Every structure is written in C-alpha cells, then in structure tokens.
Amino acid sequence: MLDYKLLEALAAVIDQAGFERGARALGLTQSAVSQRIKLLEARLGQPVLVRTPRLGPTPLGRRLLNHVQQVRLLEHDLLDQIPALGESEQRLRIAINADSLATWWPTVTGSFCRERDLLLDMLVEDQEVALRRMRDGEVAGCICATPRPVQGARSHPLGSMRYRALASPDFVQRHIAKKGHAIPPLMPAETLRSMPAIVYGRDDRLQHRLLSTMGFDEPFPHHLCPSSEGFVRLALSGMGYGMIPEQQAAHLLASGELVDIAPNHALDVPLYWHHWRHGGSTLDKLTDHLLRECATVLRPMPEQETPRPGML
C-alpha cells in the first residue's frame, strides 16, 4: 500500500526544486522531509531522487510523480461530485513555451480558468524540450513541437505559429545597406549568416532551421536572450535579428519598427498539446477547450506535420 505522505514529500521536493523549499510548502522541517524521502526509498529498495549533479527524479521517481499528479486530479473530480468530502484547491502544472505564453495562451485559457476557479503552475520551456517535463512526471500537460506522446499520455495537434526573421530598420542599414546589398526581399543568404542573431536559448533551433533552408549549417554570431519580451526589445534596439512570432510582432511590422529581412523564408512551427490519458475531467475539459479555441487563433498545421489519427 502506498503511503501518500511519503509521495507528497517527493512531489514537493521536485515541484519546489529543493528540500528546503519543499519542506516550507508542506509546513514541515527540512529534516522531516528528508526522513520521508529516505523512508520511501527504504521501502522501495531503490532511490527515487538523484541528488547530484542536479536534483531530479530517478526513473522510479518519475513513475511515482506521474501517479501523484494523476491522483491529485482525480481527487479534485471526486470532491466536485461529493462536496461533503471537503474543499481542495484545483491546480494544474503545465509546461509551455514562452512564445505561446506571450501570444495566444492567456486569451485562450483565461476564461476557462476563471469559470472553473482553476490555478495553473506554468513552467516556461522551449517547445522542443517541454516534453521532457511530461516524461519526468513534473507536469500534467505540455505544449511542444513533438507529435509522439510519452507512455500514458495523449497528443493533439493544436495548429502552428509562424515565425519571421525580423530586425529594426537601423540594423538593416548597418548590416545590409552599407554593404551595397538590396533591402529585402533580395537578402543574400551570406549576409544573413554573418549578421548577429538573437537566440532564445541553447535549445532554440529556429535560426539554425532558417539558415539551413538557405544551405548553411555553420555556426553564426548570436546573443542569448531567454525572455520572449526581451527578445523583441533586443531586436527593436538593433542588436540583432530574431525569429519572432508573427502574432507577437504584427503591430511592429505594421508601424515599421521591425522589418522582415527574409520574407521568403518564414517558418511554421507546429504545436501539440500533450496530457495524461487518465488525468481526470478537468484535464479532459481543458483539452476540449484548447482544441476548439486554438482552431481560431493558430494557423493550420503544416500538411507534412499533421500526424496520422492512430498517433493520437
């Protein structure tokens, strides 16, 4: 029989990224939480946490975290059906990419959360790596660019976001016009490769994909900026060009504050919603809501990216 006090200690340590913060969240001492983790590992006969070089769950720990998260969601469903059992805060832990959070996500999910008194813990991850959070048992759902779900989960295509290579007019004048090259749409690929880019993080491959479509796979000069808002501000300041969502930059393109320096090379990034198969009615209703609303706010999926029905 599982001891859920021990499992809650494991979940708190992972959720709060440390024993001390996990203990505060549970209203316990750090020593008490450590003892619960040790007792859990003793009963199971193997570790549930990796302590170094970075705190994280073992494969067994990930399975237990998945179980805890699903039990929490199912418990909320039961409390909704039987109010006499008491009240419980309804919270979902979601991994989402920064560009979705900065554009369509608040509009789409705002009304749903208000109507259901739902609280969200949103972990900001690039769409290429958010699925790792699902695999590690840290989140109940995620937005990512990968169609294939992890074991025990489902995947649904939401639509795509179009990214364009944007820069300030001042940047264009300094890096293109001074070399005697034409202003877009006649941007030479060699010029684009040599100009400083803005990259969201180590896992952001959009600039690499852009240059690859032009036949270049070599390294290129770039700034790293892990902030969606900061990314746009750096482009406006003339520090570099960046692959920016069309939704986010529409008003800046219209005003001329940013210009498209590679208009024939826009990239459409597919987005998929992943969630547990047995996550309870709230997760199922959120899924239905996302599928319905995203059809109006996202672009259609690139034809080659749409998965076969059997994949979902």
Side-chain angles (χ1 to χ4, degrees):
M1 190 71 174
L2 293 172
D3 187 332
Y4 282 91
K5 287 185 178 180
L6 306 186
L7 295 183
E8 285 292 345
L10 171 63
V13 168
I14 294 299
D15 289 349
Q16 302 298 321
F19 280 84
E20 184 177 349
R21 287 191 291 268
R24 284 203 299 268
L26 293 174
L28 300 172
T29 65
Q30 183 174 341
S31 175
V33 170
S34 296
Q35 288 301 317
R36 289 187 180 186
I37 297 295
K38 290 178 181 178
L39 180 56
L40 178 61
E41 292 179 327
R43 290 184 180 179
L44 296 171
Q46 54 183 298
V48 296
L49 288 175
V50 176
R51 272 74 170 178
T52 59
R54 177 179 174 271
L55 184 67
T58 64
L60 174 59
R62 288 195 292 268
R63 293 179 63 185
L64 293 173
L65 287 169
N66 269 318
H67 177 73
V68 171
Q69 296 263 17
Q70 292 182 59
V71 166
R72 288 172 176 171
L73 294 173
L74 293 173
E75 183 179 84
H76 289 309
D77 289 348
L78 188 61
L79 291 171
D80 284 342
Q81 297 168 18
I82 312 175
L85 291 176
E87 295 184 0
S88 178
E89 180 180 83
Q90 183 157 244
R91 180 179 294 272
L92 282 179
R93 195 170 174 85
I94 304 295
I96 182 171
N97 61 304
D99 290 337
S100 290
L101 191 58
T103 52
W104 60 270
W105 177 264
T107 301
V108 166
T109 60
S111 59
F112 184 88
C113 291
R114 290 194 301 271
E115 291 169 4
R116 299 180 179 277
D117 291 325
L118 176 65
L119 301 175
L120 297 180
D121 287 341
M122 288 167 281
L123 306 181
V124 178
E125 294 283 10
D126 188 81
Q127 60 262 28
E128 300 290 345
V129 299
L131 198 60
R132 296 177 194 170
R133 295 286 194 170
M134 283 284 291
R135 189 176 295 111
D136 289 346
E138 296 181 47
V139 296
C142 75
I143 303 290
C144 76
T146 304
R148 190 171 299 280
V150 299
Q151 185 175 5
R154 293 185 182 275
S155 168
H156 305 270
L158 295 177
S160 66
M161 294 182 68
R162 174 159 290 182
Y163 287 76
R164 296 188 176 278
L166 305 183
S168 68
D170 174 67
F171 181 88
V172 171
Q173 290 297 321
R174 285 186 288 113
H175 290 275
I176 302 173
K178 74 174 185 179
K179 298 182 179 181
H181 293 313
I183 300 299
L186 303 177
M187 165 70 72
E190 295 87 349
T191 301
L192 191 64
R193 180 184 60 167
S194 66
M195 298 187 305
I198 307 167
V199 176
Y200 184 83
R202 302 294 180 186
D203 295 303
D204 179 8
R205 306 296 296 176
L206 286 179
Q207 265 80 9
H208 300 76
R209 285 178 54 188
L210 172 70
L211 292 173
S212 180
T213 65
M214 299 178 173
F216 293 104
D217 294 310
E218 299 89 348
F220 54 90
H222 62 274
H223 305 281
L224 285 178
C225 178
S227 162
S228 188
E229 180 184 359
F231 199 99
V232 174
R233 292 180 68 85
L234 289 185
L236 287 169
S237 74
M239 288 181 61
Y241 77 94
M243 298 300 294
I244 299 175
E246 197 173 62
Q247 286 186 18
Q248 189 176 13
H251 65 293
L252 298 173
L253 284 168
S255 67
E257 295 173 81
L258 290 177
V259 295
D260 190 338
I261 63 174
N264 296 324
H265 294 274
L267 296 178
D268 288 340
V269 175
L271 295 179
Y272 297 86
W273 167 245
H274 293 250
H275 65 95
W276 289 321
R277 289 178 182 270
H278 305 295
S281 65
T282 297
L283 199 53
D284 289 341
K285 290 174 182 176
L286 175 59
T287 298
D288 292 340
H289 180 82
L290 289 174
L291 294 177
R292 182 173 60 254
E293 296 298 320
C294 284
T296 65
V297 299
L298 295 177
R299 299 179 62 87
M301 294 289 284
E303 185 175 348
Q304 68 273 19
E305 297 286 355
T306 305
R308 299 184 301 276
M311 185 180 295
L312 303 183

